[in-house]
Amino acid sequence: MSDIFAEREKEIRDRVKQFVEEQLNPISLQVELEERIPEEIVDKMRVMKLFGLAIPEEYGGLGLSTVGEILVYEELTKTNACFRSRIGTSNGIGSMGILFDGTEEQKKKYLPRVASGEWTAAFALTEPSAGSDAASISTLAVLEGDHWIINGTKQFITNGDCADFFTTIVVTDEKKRAQGGFTAFIIERDTPGFFVGAPDNKMGMKGSHTTELVFRNCRVPKENVIGGMRMVGQGFKTAMRVLDKGRLTMGACALGASQKLFDMCVAHIKRKAKHWKSGDDLQAAQFVLADMATEIYAARQMLYNSAWARDQGNNVTHEASMVKLFCTEMADRIADRAMDIFEDEGYLKKSQIEMYLRDVRLYRIFEGTSEIQRIVISRDLLRE
Ligand SMILES: Cc1cc2nc3c(=O)[nH]c(=O)nc-3n(C[C@H](O)[C@H](O)[C@H](O)COP(=O)(O)OP(=O)(O)OC[C@H]3O[C@@H](n4cnc5c(N)ncnc54)[C@H](O)[C@@H]3O)c2cc1C
């Protein structure tokens, strides 16, 4: 399996591992309590080019393969998940639409700024009445001369508080809707008629913020259609391509968090076992660890295999959904078992077990819930 990793990607992964251990872990609890990432840490991420993981070198990024990217995300989620969210949303769903379908001018304008970390990107699809069923969005754009006039509301948009621009999916043809009637736009933060709400008070991911976005007669120049006017009506396809890739990265995040929890459990059991009087206690803990390790092993194989298949040019929609479903549900089980192992200690904030338990729950919700992954997988299986 290790043959699929290029030397350069392993070297980047190792640098990220060191960064996590030396710079991020020591402030993980502080970020959780203060609900913000210190700006000097964001600067260090910029210097390491972490905001350009998936952006090709010609646009200033590191140009990692899918395999390279998931290796990095796996390491980045062995700490407070909001660090990965800040990087991955901008370099992932926030800007991938431009990389996949943008014009050359758009790529040259936005991607180098995202890669350097000068600009932060976000992705806006979800609306108050359209979450899993993305095809039911209602934010509407109407063409008036050289501008589109947009009205509607998006919600739960990660990086809403700090993004400089938003890849936004809106309706441009109410009859065709998801069948050629949605369009992807780049909305810059200072666009007239565009308003960002206050950060939501969430259960977890405390250092990463979601907000509402309101479009009130928002005037967006024609040039801001991703891919230009020839791509009007193609926005649903752009969104689905972005989310397909995102499902593999979500798998990597769930795997990284699971591995970290497992390592914490092993260390905890080794410490505690010295004081256990009965062999039954040890065996109970051994069985839990064995189950955790087995699941992590299975998850890693399916994730690496699917990422590698994507790098070979294969369509991995079906596999990416399996990866997201399995890895994110596994992370939930592992966090729950870690709480069993740590018991009352795990319930304390300082252990950070309770933080992982709250944070990994999100992986089963965004970028497609578990039920939606099951629908994608079974739709493919039953296709004639
Ligand atoms: C912290 C956070 C960050 C987010 N970041 C972003 C972001 O950056 N950009 C963005 O666009 N969105 C974002 N979202 C939104 C997220 O993608 C949606 O919450 C998600 O898609 C689920 O939509 P919903 O909450 O409306 O739930 P619903 O779609 O209303 O679903 C409710 C329940 O019904 C189930 N369900 C729905 N349809 C079916 C079906 N057909 N069959 C069986 N079960 C079904 C779902 O699985 C779920 O359990 C974020 C959400 C959160 C919580």
Side-chain angles (χ1 to χ4, degrees):
M1 188 55 99
S2 64
D3 286 352
I4 67 173
F5 309 139
E7 277 312 311
R8 176 171 169 266
E9 293 178 338
K10 283 197 277 190
E11 189 260 316
I12 294 170
R13 187 242 350 242
D14 292 345
R15 267 196 286 134
V16 170
K17 184 172 167 14
Q18 191 182 359
F19 179 59
V20 167
E21 286 167 2
E22 293 176 3
Q23 309 270 337
L24 303 187
N25 275 339
I27 59 160
S28 169
L29 186 58
Q30 174 198 330
V31 168
E32 174 70 7
L33 298 176
E34 293 178 1
E35 304 195 5
R36 57 174 285 278
I37 304 175
E39 203 47 38
E40 59 270 26
I41 287 292
V42 179
D43 278 341
K44 287 181 181 168
M45 291 169 169
R46 289 186 179 114
V47 171
M48 290 178 75
K49 290 195 159 196
L50 295 183
F51 289 100
L53 294 175
I55 295 177
E57 288 175 281
E58 62 181 301
Y59 301 112
L62 291 173
L64 296 187
S65 65
T66 316
V67 167
E69 230 189 311
I70 60 155
L71 283 181
V72 169
Y73 284 133
E74 205 182 317
E75 290 308 321
L76 262 180
T77 39
K78 293 179 181 169
T79 184
N80 190 316
C82 71
F83 297 119
R84 192 293 312 171
S85 174
R86 178 67 189 267
I87 294 165
T89 305
S90 187
N91 160 87
I93 56 176
S95 55
M96 283 300 105
I98 297 176
L99 178 65
F100 294 155
D101 291 329
T103 62
E104 201 45 45
E105 289 79 6
Q106 289 167 345
K107 290 180 192 180
K108 284 191 175 130
K109 175 174 177 186
Y110 294 97
L111 297 181
R113 290 180 165 109
V114 172
S116 68
E118 178 192 350
W119 282 0
T120 298
F123 176 76
L125 175 63
T126 305
E127 298 185 3
S129 56
S132 300
D133 184 11
S136 60
I137 57 169
S138 57
T139 296
L140 183 67
V142 177
L143 188 59
E144 273 185 26
D146 284 345
H147 285 78
W148 290 87
I149 311 299
I150 305 184
N151 280 288
T153 303
K154 298 285 179 185
Q155 70 174 13
F156 290 128
I157 307 307
T158 304
N159 279 355
D161 61 326
C162 61
D164 296 280
F165 70 91
F166 299 77
T167 293
T168 307
I169 313 299
V170 306
V171 182
T172 44
D173 184 328
E174 287 184 282
K175 288 205 184 87
K176 293 186 184 158
R177 301 195 54 79
Q179 314 294 328
F182 290 178
T183 300
F185 286 88
I186 302 166
I187 311 289
E188 296 194 3
R189 196 176 188 89
D190 58 1
T191 308
F194 177 64
F195 306 93
V196 176
D200 298 314
N201 187 2
K202 304 192 286 5
M203 162 177 153
M205 295 268 183
K206 294 290 194 180
S208 156
H209 303 290
T210 59
T211 68
E212 188 177 69
L213 308 178
V214 177
F215 300 81
R216 215 172 286 138
N217 292 324
C218 173
R219 284 174 65 78
V220 182
K222 272 195 327 195
E223 302 76 66
N224 284 30
V225 170
I226 293 185
M229 291 301 278
R230 71 182 171 88
M231 286 294 283
V232 169
Q234 302 303 308
F236 199 63
K237 284 190 192 149
T238 300
M240 291 307 120
R241 287 182 74 194
V242 167
L243 292 174
D244 257 10
K245 183 168 180 220
R247 282 167 189 158
L248 290 178
T249 35
M250 278 303 115
C253 298
L255 176 62
S258 302
Q259 182 67 57
K260 170 74 184 211
L261 285 163
F262 174 77
D263 294 343
M264 288 167 81
C265 288
V266 170
H268 182 79
I269 288 171
K270 281 185 178 165
R271 246 189 342 262
K272 287 270 171 175
K274 292 178 197 140
H275 310 291
W276 283 336
K277 296 197 174 62
S278 142
D280 291 350
D281 287 340
L282 182 59
Q283 192 177 62
Q286 283 170 332
F287 281 13
V288 174
L289 286 184
D291 284 345
M292 282 180 167
T294 306
E295 286 204 75
I296 289 172
Y297 179 66
R300 183 167 284 117
Q301 304 309 307
M302 74 194 288
L303 172 65
Y304 289 2
N305 191 57
S306 306
W308 177 82
R310 184 179 187 277
D311 285 337
Q312 306 314 301
N314 298 304
N315 177 343
V316 295
T317 298
H318 172 110
E319 290 82 356
S321 282
M322 288 178 168
V323 164
K324 182 170 191 283
L325 175 64
F326 185 80
C327 295
T328 61
E329 297 213 334
M330 170 192 76
D332 238 15
R333 284 192 293 277
I334 286 189
D336 193 53
R337 286 182 202 142
M339 184 60 88
D340 288 340
I341 286 177
F342 275 77
E343 294 173 327
D344 41 5
E345 248 182 81
Y347 210 69
L348 298 179
K349 277 233 171 266
K350 67 177 183 190
S351 76
Q352 297 192 59
I353 299 289
E354 61 85 38
M355 176 188 80
Y356 279 96
L357 188 68
R358 285 182 286 109
D359 287 353
V360 299
R361 184 63 182 83
L362 178 61
Y363 296 143
R364 283 173 52 197
I365 301 175
F366 65 3
E367 300 195 27
T369 63
S370 289
E371 289 71 30
I372 297 309
Q373 306 312 324
R374 290 188 176 97
I375 290 173
V376 174
I377 297 162
S378 57
R379 195 191 295 139
D380 255 22
L381 294 174
L382 297 173
R383 191 168 282 147
E384 290 297 323

